[in-house]
Amino acid sequence: MKENINLKSSPRIQPVSLAKLQIVLRVVWRFRAFYMMLLPGVIYFIVFRYLPMYGVIIAFKDYAIMEGITGSAWVNPWYKHFQSFYESPYFNQLLSNTILISCYKLLWGTLPPILLAVLLNECRVRWLKSIVQTLTYMPHFLSWVIIFGILLTLFSQNGGLINRWIVEAGGTSIPFLTSTDYFRSILVGSEVWQNLGWGAIIYLAAMAGIDPTLYEAAKVDGASRLRMIWHITLPGIRSIIILLFILKLGHLLDAGFDQIYILYNIQVYPVADILDTWVYRTGLQQLNFSLASAVGLFKSVIGLFLVLAANRIAKKWGEGIW
C-alpha cells in the first residue's frame, strides 16, 4: 500500500527548500553590486508603471475627482465608456490614422538604421565613421519643439527654404505642413531622421558581438564584402532586429503623441488626428478621465495581443523575447 505523505511536514522537503534558499542568497550576495545597479530601474517600474495600474479601474467607473477612485460609482453596464468611444463618429478615422501612421513609421523606420549600421561597420576610416555616427544620433536628443522649428524653417509655405527654391524655379509654393497630402510624409520622415542614428547604435553593438573568425573564414573562401554582409552580418543581428520589431509592434497604437500634438493643426485633422490626441482633447481637457482610461486600456490590451502574436511567430524561426 502507498503511504500518505504530508509534504508540509516531510523532513525530506524542508532541508531541500532551505538549501535552495541558501544557494539563492549566496548568488545574490555574490552579485550584490549588479543587483544594486538594477534596483533603481526596478523601483522606477514599480512606482511609475505597476502601481498606477490600480487606476485602470476608473475605466469602469464614473470617476469624480472629489470622490476619488474608490468613492466613484461603478458604471452600468461595465462597458459604458468603451461603448461611448466605439460609437464616437470619429472612431474609424482615429483608429485608421493611428494604425496607418504607426505602420508607416514601423516600415520606413526599420531598414534605414540597419543600412546605416552596416555602412558604418564596413567603414575603415575611423574619423569619418565617428563624425557620421555623431551627426546621425544627435537628433535623437532634440525635443519635438526644436524639430518643429527646423521643419517650419524648411517647409513653411511662406518663407520656407524649400518653397523659396520652388518659387525661384518658377513653381508655386506647397503647403507641406497644412496639406493632408504631405503631412503624414512629414511625420514619418522626421521620425526616421530623429531615430536613425540611435537605432544604428543598437545594431552596431550587436555587430560587435559577431565572431570575427567567421569573417576570416569567409575571406579565405574568397567571399566578397557583400557576401559576408548577407551571410554573416545580417544573420548575426537577426535576433536584435526581431526583438526591436516585437517591441515596436507593442506600441502600434501609440503613433507618437508628442510629435503629432506639436506638428499638427486643424487643417490636417482628417489624416493626423490619432487616439492619443483625441483622448487629450476629449478625455483630459474636458476632465472625462474615465473615457481616457478606457481608451488607454483598449490600447494596452491590443498591444499585448500584438506582442504575444509577434513573439509566437518569431519563435518559429528560433527567435523571440521569451
Side-chain angles (χ1 to χ4, degrees):
M1 294 180 62
K2 295 182 179 179
E3 297 181 359
N4 294 326
I5 301 176
N6 187 354
L7 295 178
K8 294 183 179 180
S9 61
S10 174
R12 296 182 180 179
I13 301 299
Q14 291 180 354
V16 174
S17 300
L18 182 60
K20 288 183 178 180
L21 178 61
Q22 291 175 345
I23 293 174
V24 171
L25 292 176
R26 280 198 296 265
V27 172
V28 171
W29 179 253
R30 179 183 177 185
F31 298 101
R32 59 188 180 279
F34 296 101
Y35 285 108
M36 290 298 295
M37 289 188 288
L38 181 65
L39 188 60
V42 173
I43 294 175
Y44 167 81
F45 276 96
I46 292 175
V47 174
F48 294 102
R49 299 293 182 179
Y50 290 99
L51 292 181
M53 286 183 181
Y54 170 73
V56 170
I57 64 174
I58 69 176
F60 308 98
K61 290 189 170 188
D62 281 325
Y63 177 71
I65 296 178
M66 301 304 296
E67 298 294 334
I69 295 178
T70 57
S72 299
W74 295 93
V75 296
N76 187 23
W78 62 269
Y79 53 84
K80 171 185 174 182
H81 299 298
F82 297 92
Q83 184 178 19
S84 175
F85 169 60
Y86 177 74
E87 293 178 350
S88 168
Y90 304 104
F91 175 79
N92 292 330
Q93 176 183 304
L94 293 169
L95 191 61
S96 61
N97 285 343
T98 303
I99 294 175
L100 282 175
I101 292 173
S102 294
C103 288
Y104 289 153
K105 288 182 177 181
L106 185 62
L107 294 176
W108 291 103
T110 300
L111 185 59
I114 298 174
L115 180 60
L116 177 62
V118 171
L119 293 175
L120 291 174
N121 189 58
E122 295 297 319
C123 182
R124 296 296 177 262
V125 184
R126 293 204 169 194
W127 62 268
L128 178 61
K129 179 179 179 180
S130 299
I131 291 176
V132 172
Q133 191 170 354
T134 302
L135 292 176
T136 52
Y137 80 69
M138 282 181 62
H140 179 77
F141 301 98
L142 298 178
S143 70
W144 283 112
V145 176
I146 298 175
I147 295 177
F148 174 70
I150 296 173
L151 295 176
L152 199 62
T153 303
L154 292 175
F155 297 103
S156 175
Q157 187 175 6
N158 299 319
L161 183 60
I162 294 179
N163 272 314
R164 283 185 182 180
W165 292 344
I166 294 175
V167 172
E168 290 175 359
T172 56
S173 61
I174 302 173
F176 291 106
L177 299 177
T178 57
S179 171
T180 55
D181 296 327
Y182 297 96
F183 191 77
R184 283 178 180 167
S185 300
I186 298 294
L187 284 178
V188 176
S190 58
E191 173 88 6
V192 172
W193 173 72
Q194 187 195 38
N195 296 315
L196 176 64
W198 188 257
I201 290 177
I202 299 175
Y203 294 118
L204 280 172
M207 292 175 187
I210 299 175
D211 189 356
T213 59
L214 297 175
Y215 293 102
E216 296 173 2
K219 286 181 181 179
V220 173
D221 292 338
S224 63
R225 297 303 304 177
L226 290 177
R227 284 289 183 181
M228 286 189 282
I229 291 172
W230 184 257
H231 293 286
I232 299 176
T233 305
L234 293 180
I237 64 173
R238 183 180 64 178
S239 60
I240 301 300
I241 296 174
I242 294 176
L243 172 63
L244 294 179
F245 179 80
I246 293 174
L247 294 177
K248 290 180 180 178
L249 197 61
H251 295 277
L252 187 67
L253 295 184
D254 286 341
F257 169 77
D258 294 342
Q259 178 196 22
I260 295 177
Y261 182 73
I262 292 173
L263 297 184
Y264 82 154
N265 51 77
I266 195 170
Q267 293 173 289
V268 295
Y269 274 9
V271 297
D273 201 18
I274 60 173
L275 294 175
D276 288 341
T277 53
W278 181 82
V279 166
Y280 178 78
R281 294 196 313 273
T282 306
L284 300 182
Q285 289 185 340
Q286 299 177 13
L287 301 182
N288 193 343
F289 297 108
S290 295
L291 177 61
S293 298
V295 178
L297 183 58
F298 166 76
K299 289 173 49 184
S300 299
V301 172
I302 298 299
L304 175 63
F305 279 111
L306 288 173
V307 169
L308 293 175
N311 185 74
R312 186 169 183 178
I313 294 173
K315 289 178 71 174
K316 294 183 179 180
W317 283 277
E319 305 293 345
I321 298 179
W322 63 89

